[in-house]
Amino acid sequence: MDVGTPLFRLVLTLPVTSTQRLPRVRAAELVGRGWLNTGGRDLRLGDFRGKVLLLDFWTFCCINCLHVLDELRPLEEEFADVLVTVGVHSPKFAHEADPVALAAAVERYGVHHPVLDDPELTTWQAFAVKAWPTLVVVDPEGYVVHVAAGEGHVEALRRVVAEVVTVHEAKGTLHRGDGPYAPPVPEVTELRFPAKAVDSGNGTILVADTAHHRVVEVDRDGETVLRAFGTGERGRADGVDATFSEPSGVAVLPDAVAEVVGYRFVVADTVNHLLRGIDPVTGAVSTVAGTGAQWRNGPTDGPATSIDLTSPWDLVWWEPAGGVVVAMAGNHTLGLFDPVAGTVRRFAGTTVEGLNDGPAAEAFFAQTSGLAATGDRLWLVDAETSALRWVDTAFTVHTAVGKGLFDFGHRDGDADQALLQHPLGVTALPDGSVVVADTYNGALRRFDPVTGRVSTLATGLAEPSGAVLVDGELLVVASAAHRLERPVAAARLVDGQAHQVKRPPTDIAAGELELAVVFEPPPGQKLDLRWGPSTRLEVTSSPPGLLAEGGGAGTDLSRRLVVAEGFTEGVLHVVAQAASCDDDGAEHGACHLTRQDWGVPVRVGPTGPGRLALVLGGLDRN
């Protein structure tokens, strides 16, 4: 998640009833290019008068935004007659500003509320949003009453919404009834937004049929479906009549391992935060890793079915690691699943989102979404840094292509100058080169590690998210076209434009900088101080020399930083968390962990302010 520049700052969180005594901030008008899921109707802020309005600022590349979509579903159902959620789609990548791509994403991820298309980030800036995702609660009279950045806020939102409902029902300003959601009629296709394809080893191809919540086995023609694993309903049931929730990657185990464990295929059951095993003989599905709960904080190593996972996106068996490497997109790490031992552990990464090479345990990743393995290299693509990277047998991470969180494009040539745009897949070729599914460029790209150069093999593909070699040909998963394709591949060089994320950086001055992360427990909760401090703040920077003082971890949510002289720009990586518990007098009240990580692009100049405020949860009125 990345942040931009605030136009106003919001600083003190109080219960909704108390905010009535303070100057209130009126919500800005909802301005954009158009609306989705409204039956063609354009809406304005006044159309939501009398309702509790929840604005979800998101972009469809962002895994944390996808988590929030799922978190909000029960809240939307619980308050169906008083709460209206509006997704404000403010894109990061150029491709996400394409209205056709946005409409596809709304269907792909099951967005069942109105969506405002905000390609110029007009509404984003009007609400001073600084991170994807950000949630803003607007009361029935049109005033902002709560802001929260990141994910994991559903319980806090439930309390805030409930209190808003109580207040405005008493005032007579709450109107119950249906909202403006009008779903489009989906197209019927054999596959729906497939994510990955792999060779089954038995003369067939396995395809993650993601939006149909199943894994299918197809003939080598890439079209004929032979059988399906999963009923097609969203769920997490095991057995022959199994269910999945948006499965993505599939790995094939070596024969000797499969014989021991009793299943041959391992599926990244992404939205369920599980790994599932498939026995192709019986068709039975079993849960082999994960608890079904999303990891937020806690152990990452241990018995596989006792450890929380977070949005596993792709999988591959890599012999040097001795197990299945898992692209844990949800927290920017790589996991390692040992099917024989029945264990899972952190393999690489720190959970900080970024681009940092070196020993696996110290590397930064950014939503790793595709994996491929050779004897001596584990190849991976990091979607959010538009990067192609690899891990060697000494478990050291290297970057072949990619510059960081804010640079992308379509440019070939020497790898240190080449650019990708949100790649989701990588495939190793027999000659030692790799093919990248350059998803948001709609292209296949080839990187040759011998020459260190990148070329384009094919363009005009509909969001390619993976590829598999079949009889010497590349069979590409054209996800947005809902099929597998054999493109005509002919290497050529593209000298395309370089792009940067268009949100302006946050201006700061060199020297002392006060960092303040704002958090107040929601109504009915208090900070959990039973075992010491209930908050944690970790700060690092890219480049590392940007911070002369103030880096590292501590328990205070405010920190004195010193920005080094000689830098004009960089990124502050901020990870904050707070633990709060229900304050209802119960001996064992439920407790909640709120966590958010920011990648803050900063511009260092002589006139920058000496304070940077980030809202973890609440309202900031400074």
Side-chain angles (χ1 to χ4, degrees):
M1 286 165 289
D2 315 315
V3 304
T5 301
L7 299 187
F8 65 85
R9 286 191 173 128
L10 289 172
V11 185
L12 175 65
T13 300
L14 295 170
V16 175
T17 51
S18 299
T19 63
Q20 311 306 318
R21 298 191 297 270
L22 296 173
R24 297 192 293 167
V25 177
R26 182 170 285 281
E29 186 53 80
L30 304 178
V31 179
R33 179 169 54 189
W35 288 80
L36 294 85
N37 285 353
T38 63
R41 180 186 173 196
D42 287 338
L43 302 174
R44 295 180 62 82
L45 185 67
D47 295 321
F48 302 98
R49 185 62 63 91
K51 297 289 188 182
V52 183
L53 175 62
L54 175 58
L55 301 177
D56 175 16
F57 289 86
W58 72 300
T59 185
F60 65 77
C61 72
C62 164
I63 187 64
N64 311 91
C65 300
L66 304 185
H67 291 164
V68 167
L69 289 175
D70 289 304
E71 290 174 358
L72 293 181
R73 296 186 204 282
L75 189 73
E76 292 172 292
E77 183 176 353
E78 180 179 353
F79 295 98
D81 63 339
V82 293
L83 175 69
V84 176
T85 301
V86 168
V88 182
H89 187 266
S90 307
K92 172 182 177 180
F93 289 99
H95 175 71
E96 293 176 295
D98 180 345
V100 176
L102 174 58
V106 167
E107 180 196 343
R108 181 196 303 256
Y109 298 118
V111 181
H112 295 156
H113 51 246
V115 174
L116 172 65
D117 184 5
D118 181 28
E120 300 299 324
L121 280 68
T122 304
T123 298
W124 162 290
Q125 294 188 68
F127 279 85
V129 174
K130 295 196 287 183
W132 289 294
T134 289
L135 297 159
V136 178
V137 179
V138 180
D139 73 15
E141 293 180 298
Y143 290 95
V144 174
V145 295
H146 188 78
V147 178
E151 53 183 283
H153 294 285
V154 67
E155 181 56 34
L157 290 171
R158 178 177 287 109
R159 291 170 179 267
V160 170
V161 171
E163 188 159 344
V164 172
V165 169
T166 298
V167 169
H168 287 274
E169 198 152 44
K171 292 176 66 175
T173 50
L174 182 74
H175 301 159
R176 295 183 179 273
D178 293 335
Y181 171 60
V185 178
E187 182 184 358
V188 177
T189 54
E190 181 66 65
L191 303 176
R192 204 71 189 158
F193 297 108
K196 305 289 182 186
V198 297
D199 192 322
S200 70
N202 298 320
T204 58
I205 302 163
L206 295 171
V207 181
D209 188 9
T210 302
H212 283 156
H213 312 294
R214 62 180 187 163
V215 176
V216 296
E217 188 173 13
V218 304
D219 191 76
R220 295 180 82 80
D221 63 8
E223 298 179 1
T224 306
V225 174
L226 304 175
R227 61 172 169 168
F229 304 102
T231 65
E233 298 295 321
R234 187 190 291 268
R236 51 170 294 187
D238 286 339
V240 176
D241 295 322
T243 52
F244 298 88
S245 187
E246 298 180 30
S248 184
V250 183
V252 180
L253 298 179
D255 291 345
V257 175
E259 289 176 5
V260 171
V261 300
Y263 55 89
R264 181 170 296 276
F265 310 137
V266 183
V267 180
D269 193 4
T270 305
V271 174
N272 278 329
H273 310 293
L274 298 173
L275 303 186
R276 316 288 292 282
I278 297 178
D279 180 352
V281 176
T282 65
V285 175
S286 57
T287 297
V288 298
T291 65
Q294 181 190 340
W295 181 91
R296 298 197 187 282
N297 189 50
T300 58
D301 302 5
T305 54
S306 299
I307 299 296
D308 296 341
L309 309 180
T310 175
S311 294
W313 204 275
D314 201 10
L315 308 164
V316 70
W317 177 272
W318 192 36
E319 193 62 41
V324 176
V325 178
V326 184
M328 212 75 73
N331 66 358
H332 317 297
T333 65
L334 303 180
L336 184 67
F337 168 56
D338 184 335
V340 176
T343 60
V344 67
R345 67 177 177 85
R346 175 77 53 80
F347 176 65
T350 67
T351 76
V352 174
E353 182 181 19
L355 186 68
N356 186 50
D357 291 340
E362 302 172 11
F364 295 172
F365 299 93
Q367 205 171 304
T368 304
S369 300
L371 298 169
T374 63
D376 61 351
R377 290 191 181 189
L378 172 72
W379 291 97
L380 60 100
V381 285
D382 273 352
E384 286 296 279
T385 51
S386 298
L388 170 66
R389 309 173 75 184
W390 84 89
V391 184
D392 62 26
T393 53
F395 303 150
T396 301
V397 180
H398 310 264
T399 296
V401 180
K403 299 183 180 300
L405 285 166
F406 308 107
D407 295 274
F408 62 93
H410 188 166
R411 188 166 65 197
D412 290 329
D414 292 338
D416 61 352
Q417 296 298 314
L419 294 169
L420 309 169
Q421 185 181 180
H422 198 79
L424 293 180
V426 60
T427 305
L429 300 182
D431 65 358
S433 66
V434 293
V435 168
V436 174
D438 192 6
T439 308
Y440 285 4
N441 281 325
L444 287 186
R445 313 285 292 284
R446 177 177 178 267
F447 170 66
D448 185 344
V450 175
T451 65
R453 290 180 65 79
V454 176
S455 58
T456 295
L457 298 179
T459 57
L461 299 168
E463 294 191 7
S465 57
V468 59
L469 273 175
V470 178
D471 302 325
E473 285 187 287
L474 279 171
L475 191 61
V476 178
V477 182
S479 185
H482 316 294
R483 62 177 180 263
L484 307 185
E485 296 182 354
R486 284 184 169 84
V488 177
R492 61 191 186 279
L493 297 180
V494 173
D495 185 19
Q497 288 185 327
H499 300 278
Q500 286 193 320
V501 177
K502 60 183 171 181
R503 291 170 298 113
T506 297
D507 287 313
I508 60 173
E512 290 195 8
L513 176 70
E514 179 194 358
L515 173 65
V517 175
V518 178
F519 177 78
E520 287 285 338
Q525 290 184 13
K526 62 181 180 180
L527 290 174
D528 182 10
L529 302 174
R530 289 173 295 174
W531 295 283
S534 60
T535 56
R536 186 177 187 276
L537 178 65
E538 181 178 357
V539 184
T540 56
S541 67
S542 298
L546 177 66
L547 280 184
E549 297 180 31
T555 58
D556 290 336
L557 290 183
S558 60
R559 177 87 56 89
R560 172 185 173 272
L561 308 178
V562 176
V563 180
E565 298 285 349
F567 289 88
T568 58
E569 60 183 18
V571 179
L572 294 179
H573 302 281
V574 181
V575 181
Q577 66 183 46
S580 58
C581 295
D582 293 350
D583 188 18
D584 55 8
E587 183 178 356
H588 300 290
C591 293
H592 315 275
L593 181 71
T594 302
R595 176 186 169 95
Q596 162 72 340
D597 56 73
W598 291 268
V600 187
V602 295
R603 180 170 54 205
V604 184
T607 61
R611 183 176 186 270
L612 172 63
L614 302 173
V615 178
L616 180 61
L619 283 180
D620 180 351
R621 294 184 183 271
N622 271 3

